[in-house]
Amino acid sequence: YDKFACEADEEGFHELAEQLRAVAAIEKHHEERYRALLPHVEAAEVFRKSGFSVWECRNGGHIVIGTDNTPDEQTVKAKKDVTAETGLGTITIQGATMTETSNITMTAGSDKDSYEQGTAAGNFIIRDDGKLESGAGITLNGRYGDIEITDRIQARTDLAINVAGQGDVSVGTDVNVSNIVSISTEKGSIAVGHAVNAEEGSVSMTTGSGDVLLGKDVTAEKDVAIVSGKGNIVIGDVTT
């Protein structure tokens, strides 16, 4: 990249040269992280630790956890927290991501400034035997992108799914937590085709502009709040 940047400068493409140097800095950071991870790969210890496990990519790029169509694959397992973040890419969960006592927190699309519809440009995809199981809470924060969940998601305490800007949320699996279920998007639809249960807490589903589609039972010990600022609320006969 440095060589290309120098050539771009020589040819008068100074803005391109700066972009190439920025990419070089990002790739250097990635190289350092991957070299630090290499001994754990060689020792077959990747993502299976008794302590704190973090996978982070703040500058962009996709994060894929697990392998397509590999049942019961425990890809990420931590005693404490699991955190994943990407500024521009998509987080795809195809294997089991689990914590024993603490939270799972994932953020995708935090640097996006426009919306593209569809899975390819989405924030989160949980499918192909992928699952999230947390000994505490699960938080999925997206921005300008869709969230598609077709496989298992289970939190011992709270589940929070939030989309800033624009994006649809589709949940095609049962959701069962002990405390609070909160699903929100500023602009987009929320479609839940399976049962939602907050054993001791409340359920909240809110969209600023879009439909809320509920296909099965929604139960809570406390309140159930379903709000659409501009759109329809449909209960029953929903397929996701």
Side-chain angles (χ1 to χ4, degrees), residues 83-113:
T83 303
E85 179 177 347
T86 176
L88 294 173
T90 300
I91 297 178
T92 301
I93 310 296
Q94 298 171 159
T97 300
M98 308 168 68
T99 66
E100 291 185 19
T101 60
S102 295
N103 299 310
I104 296 174
T105 304
M106 297 187 174
T107 302
S110 56
D111 294 335
K112 289 184 177 180
D113 56 11

Short mmCIF file of all heavy atoms in Angstrom, two decimals, residues 83-113:
data_model
loop_
_atom_site.label_atom_id
_atom_site.label_comp_id
_atom_site.label_asym_id
_atom_site.label_seq_id
_atom_site.Cartn_x
_atom_site.Cartn_y
_atom_site.Cartn_z
N THR A 83 -17.74 -9.79 23.17
CA THR A 83 -18.02 -8.53 22.50
C THR A 83 -17.52 -8.60 21.07
O THR A 83 -16.41 -9.05 20.82
CB THR A 83 -17.32 -7.35 23.21
OG1 THR A 83 -17.74 -7.30 24.57
CG2 THR A 83 -17.66 -6.03 22.54
N ALA A 84 -18.35 -8.18 20.12
CA ALA A 84 -17.95 -8.12 18.71
C ALA A 84 -18.43 -6.80 18.13
O ALA A 84 -19.55 -6.36 18.42
CB ALA A 84 -18.54 -9.30 17.93
N GLU A 85 -17.58 -6.18 17.32
CA GLU A 85 -17.94 -4.88 16.76
C GLU A 85 -17.32 -4.70 15.39
O GLU A 85 -16.15 -5.00 15.17
CB GLU A 85 -17.48 -3.76 17.69
CG GLU A 85 -17.79 -2.36 17.17
CD GLU A 85 -17.37 -1.28 18.15
OE1 GLU A 85 -17.08 -1.60 19.31
OE2 GLU A 85 -17.34 -0.10 17.74
N THR A 86 -18.10 -4.19 14.44
CA THR A 86 -17.58 -3.79 13.14
C THR A 86 -18.27 -2.51 12.70
O THR A 86 -19.48 -2.36 12.87
CB THR A 86 -17.77 -4.90 12.08
OG1 THR A 86 -17.32 -4.40 10.81
CG2 THR A 86 -19.21 -5.33 11.96
N GLY A 87 -17.49 -1.59 12.16
CA GLY A 87 -18.05 -0.30 11.79
C GLY A 87 -18.88 -0.33 10.53
O GLY A 87 -19.90 0.35 10.43
N LEU A 88 -18.46 -1.12 9.53
CA LEU A 88 -19.13 -1.10 8.23
C LEU A 88 -19.65 -2.46 7.79
O LEU A 88 -20.46 -2.53 6.88
CB LEU A 88 -18.17 -0.57 7.15
CG LEU A 88 -17.74 0.89 7.29
CD1 LEU A 88 -16.67 1.23 6.26
CD2 LEU A 88 -18.94 1.83 7.14
N GLY A 89 -19.19 -3.52 8.39
CA GLY A 89 -19.53 -4.85 7.90
C GLY A 89 -20.73 -5.48 8.58
O GLY A 89 -21.46 -4.85 9.35
N THR A 90 -20.91 -6.76 8.29
CA THR A 90 -22.00 -7.57 8.83
C THR A 90 -21.43 -8.60 9.79
O THR A 90 -20.36 -9.17 9.54
CB THR A 90 -22.73 -8.29 7.70
OG1 THR A 90 -23.28 -7.33 6.79
CG2 THR A 90 -23.86 -9.17 8.23
N ILE A 91 -22.13 -8.84 10.89
CA ILE A 91 -21.77 -9.92 11.81
C ILE A 91 -22.68 -11.10 11.53
O ILE A 91 -23.91 -11.00 11.66
CB ILE A 91 -21.89 -9.48 13.28
CG1 ILE A 91 -20.91 -8.33 13.57
CG2 ILE A 91 -21.62 -10.66 14.21
CD1 ILE A 91 -21.00 -7.79 14.98
N THR A 92 -22.09 -12.23 11.13
CA THR A 92 -22.85 -13.43 10.81
C THR A 92 -22.52 -14.52 11.83
O THR A 92 -21.35 -14.85 12.03
CB THR A 92 -22.51 -13.94 9.40
OG1 THR A 92 -22.80 -12.91 8.45
CG2 THR A 92 -23.33 -15.17 9.05
N ILE A 93 -23.56 -15.06 12.47
CA ILE A 93 -23.38 -16.11 13.48
C ILE A 93 -23.88 -17.42 12.88
O ILE A 93 -25.07 -17.58 12.62
CB ILE A 93 -24.17 -15.80 14.77
CG1 ILE A 93 -23.88 -14.37 15.26
CG2 ILE A 93 -23.85 -16.83 15.84
CD1 ILE A 93 -22.47 -14.12 15.68
N GLN A 94 -22.96 -18.36 12.66
CA GLN A 94 -23.31 -19.67 12.10
C GLN A 94 -22.95 -20.80 13.06
O GLN A 94 -23.28 -21.96 12.80
CB GLN A 94 -22.63 -19.87 10.75
CG GLN A 94 -23.06 -18.84 9.72
CD GLN A 94 -22.25 -18.88 8.45
OE1 GLN A 94 -22.69 -18.41 7.42
NE2 GLN A 94 -21.04 -19.41 8.51
N GLY A 95 -22.25 -20.48 14.15
CA GLY A 95 -21.92 -21.45 15.18
C GLY A 95 -22.40 -20.92 16.52
O GLY A 95 -22.94 -19.82 16.62
N ALA A 96 -22.23 -21.70 17.57
CA ALA A 96 -22.68 -21.30 18.90
C ALA A 96 -21.74 -20.27 19.50
O ALA A 96 -20.52 -20.43 19.51
CB ALA A 96 -22.76 -22.52 19.80
N THR A 97 -22.33 -19.18 20.00
CA THR A 97 -21.60 -18.15 20.74
C THR A 97 -22.21 -18.10 22.12
O THR A 97 -23.38 -17.76 22.28
CB THR A 97 -21.70 -16.79 20.04
OG1 THR A 97 -21.14 -16.89 18.73
CG2 THR A 97 -20.95 -15.73 20.81
N MET A 98 -21.41 -18.43 23.16
CA MET A 98 -21.97 -18.66 24.48
C MET A 98 -21.16 -17.99 25.57
O MET A 98 -19.93 -17.89 25.47
CB MET A 98 -22.03 -20.17 24.75
CG MET A 98 -22.71 -20.98 23.65
SD MET A 98 -22.47 -22.77 23.82
CE MET A 98 -23.44 -23.07 25.30
N THR A 99 -21.84 -17.52 26.61
CA THR A 99 -21.18 -17.08 27.84
C THR A 99 -21.82 -17.81 29.01
O THR A 99 -23.01 -18.11 28.99
CB THR A 99 -21.32 -15.56 28.07
OG1 THR A 99 -22.70 -15.23 28.30
CG2 THR A 99 -20.82 -14.78 26.86
N GLU A 100 -21.02 -18.05 30.04
CA GLU A 100 -21.54 -18.76 31.21
C GLU A 100 -22.25 -17.82 32.18
O GLU A 100 -23.32 -18.14 32.69
CB GLU A 100 -20.41 -19.50 31.93
CG GLU A 100 -19.85 -20.68 31.15
CD GLU A 100 -18.83 -21.44 31.95
OE1 GLU A 100 -18.81 -21.29 33.20
OE2 GLU A 100 -18.04 -22.19 31.35
N THR A 101 -21.65 -16.65 32.44
CA THR A 101 -22.19 -15.78 33.50
C THR A 101 -22.40 -14.34 33.08
O THR A 101 -23.02 -13.59 33.82
CB THR A 101 -21.26 -15.79 34.72
OG1 THR A 101 -19.96 -15.29 34.33
CG2 THR A 101 -21.10 -17.19 35.29
N SER A 102 -21.90 -13.93 31.91
CA SER A 102 -21.92 -12.51 31.57
C SER A 102 -22.60 -12.27 30.22
O SER A 102 -23.27 -13.14 29.68
CB SER A 102 -20.49 -11.95 31.58
OG SER A 102 -19.96 -12.01 32.89
N ASN A 103 -22.39 -11.07 29.67
CA ASN A 103 -23.17 -10.58 28.55
C ASN A 103 -22.55 -10.88 27.18
O ASN A 103 -21.33 -11.03 27.07
CB ASN A 103 -23.34 -9.06 28.66
CG ASN A 103 -24.08 -8.67 29.92
OD1 ASN A 103 -25.13 -9.22 30.22
ND2 ASN A 103 -23.53 -7.71 30.66
N ILE A 104 -23.41 -10.92 26.17
CA ILE A 104 -23.00 -10.90 24.77
C ILE A 104 -23.43 -9.55 24.22
O ILE A 104 -24.61 -9.21 24.25
CB ILE A 104 -23.64 -12.03 23.96
CG1 ILE A 104 -23.17 -13.39 24.47
CG2 ILE A 104 -23.31 -11.87 22.47
CD1 ILE A 104 -23.86 -14.58 23.81
N THR A 105 -22.46 -8.78 23.71
CA THR A 105 -22.75 -7.46 23.16
C THR A 105 -22.13 -7.36 21.78
O THR A 105 -20.92 -7.56 21.62
CB THR A 105 -22.18 -6.34 24.05
OG1 THR A 105 -22.69 -6.48 25.37
CG2 THR A 105 -22.56 -4.97 23.50
N MET A 106 -22.96 -7.05 20.79
CA MET A 106 -22.47 -6.96 19.41
C MET A 106 -22.98 -5.68 18.77
O MET A 106 -24.15 -5.32 18.92
CB MET A 106 -22.90 -8.18 18.60
CG MET A 106 -22.33 -9.49 19.13
SD MET A 106 -22.68 -10.89 18.04
CE MET A 106 -21.72 -12.17 18.86
N THR A 107 -22.08 -5.02 18.03
CA THR A 107 -22.42 -3.76 17.36
C THR A 107 -21.97 -3.85 15.91
O THR A 107 -20.83 -4.20 15.63
CB THR A 107 -21.72 -2.57 18.04
OG1 THR A 107 -22.12 -2.52 19.41
CG2 THR A 107 -22.10 -1.27 17.35
N ALA A 108 -22.89 -3.54 14.98
CA ALA A 108 -22.57 -3.59 13.56
C ALA A 108 -23.13 -2.36 12.87
O ALA A 108 -24.21 -1.89 13.21
CB ALA A 108 -23.13 -4.85 12.91
N GLY A 109 -22.36 -1.84 11.89
CA GLY A 109 -22.85 -0.72 11.09
C GLY A 109 -22.74 0.63 11.77
O GLY A 109 -23.37 1.60 11.31
N SER A 110 -21.94 0.76 12.83
CA SER A 110 -21.87 2.02 13.57
C SER A 110 -21.32 3.16 12.73
O SER A 110 -21.55 4.34 13.05
CB SER A 110 -21.03 1.85 14.83
OG SER A 110 -19.73 1.37 14.51
N ASP A 111 -20.61 2.85 11.64
CA ASP A 111 -20.06 3.91 10.77
C ASP A 111 -20.88 4.10 9.49
O ASP A 111 -20.50 4.90 8.63
CB ASP A 111 -18.61 3.57 10.40
CG ASP A 111 -17.69 3.61 11.60
OD1 ASP A 111 -18.02 4.31 12.58
OD2 ASP A 111 -16.65 2.93 11.57
N LYS A 112 -21.97 3.38 9.34
CA LYS A 112 -22.79 3.51 8.13
C LYS A 112 -23.59 4.81 8.15
O LYS A 112 -24.04 5.26 9.21
CB LYS A 112 -23.76 2.33 8.01
CG LYS A 112 -23.11 1.01 7.65
CD LYS A 112 -24.19 -0.06 7.47
CE LYS A 112 -23.60 -1.39 7.05
NZ LYS A 112 -24.65 -2.42 6.88
N ASP A 113 -23.81 5.39 6.97
CA ASP A 113 -24.62 6.60 6.89
C ASP A 113 -25.73 6.48 5.85
O ASP A 113 -26.39 7.46 5.51
CB ASP A 113 -23.75 7.82 6.59
CG ASP A 113 -22.93 7.66 5.32
OD1 ASP A 113 -23.18 6.70 4.57
OD2 ASP A 113 -22.04 8.49 5.09
#
